């Protein structure tokens, strides 16, 4: 059985519904945002655990999450450096940049630079 590379009507419909749906969701969730502080740090109303999940999700792709354990299982442990780098990087950030954010009332790394 051969597969066609052409988009069908169903494919277009799914794509359009997805794009419209995510746009409307973003507009609805952002309806109370008034400035950069609301956008970047939600006026500091987000619990610490939600920030933790956001940081981990941002830096870890689905491919990394799925493929690294499989590679390690077959004997390639080189990618464990990625996990070790995450831990070391988080410790460095926690002791260097986070105090600057709190004392300087910063909302982005760019405003610090």
């Amino acid at each position: 059985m051969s597969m066609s590379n052409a988009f069908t009507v169903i494919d277009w419909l799914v794509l359009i519904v997805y794009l419209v749906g995510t746009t409307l969701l973003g507009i609805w969730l952002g309806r109370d945002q008034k400035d950069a502080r609301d956008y970047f740090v939600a006026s500091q109303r987000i619990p610490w655990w939600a920030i933790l999940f956001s940081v981990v999700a941002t830096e870890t792709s689905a491919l990394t999450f799925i493929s690294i354990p499989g590679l390690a299982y077959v004997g390639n442990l080189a990618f464990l450096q990625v996990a070790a780098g995450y831990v070391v990087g988080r410790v460095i950030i926690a002791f260097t940049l986070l105090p600057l954010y709190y004392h300087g009332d910063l909302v982005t790394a760019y405003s610090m630079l």
Side-chain angles (χ1 to χ4, degrees), residues 94-111:
F95 286 104
T96 59
L97 294 180
L98 284 181
L100 295 173
Y101 280 115
Y102 285 110
H103 297 302
D105 197 34
L106 305 174
V107 294
T108 69
Y110 301 110
S111 60

Side-chain angles (χ1 to χ4, degrees), residues 23-95:
T23 301
L24 292 175
L25 179 65
I27 291 170
W28 183 71
L29 291 174
R31 67 190 179 280
D32 295 329
Q33 294 177 357
K34 294 169 188 58
D35 57 14
R37 178 167 296 287
D38 284 340
Y39 179 77
F40 286 112
V41 294
S43 295
Q44 298 178 340
R45 293 184 314 255
I46 298 176
W48 67 267
W49 53 266
I51 296 169
L52 170 75
F53 285 125
S54 175
V55 168
V56 171
T58 299
E59 73 183 10
T60 307
S61 69
L63 179 62
T64 301
F65 186 76
I66 293 169
S67 67
I68 298 304
L71 287 171
Y73 178 76
V74 297
N76 185 355
L77 300 178
F79 283 103
L80 287 178
Q81 296 173 51
V82 173
Y86 287 161
V87 172
V88 170
R90 286 184 184 129
V91 169
I92 292 170
I93 295 300
F95 286 104

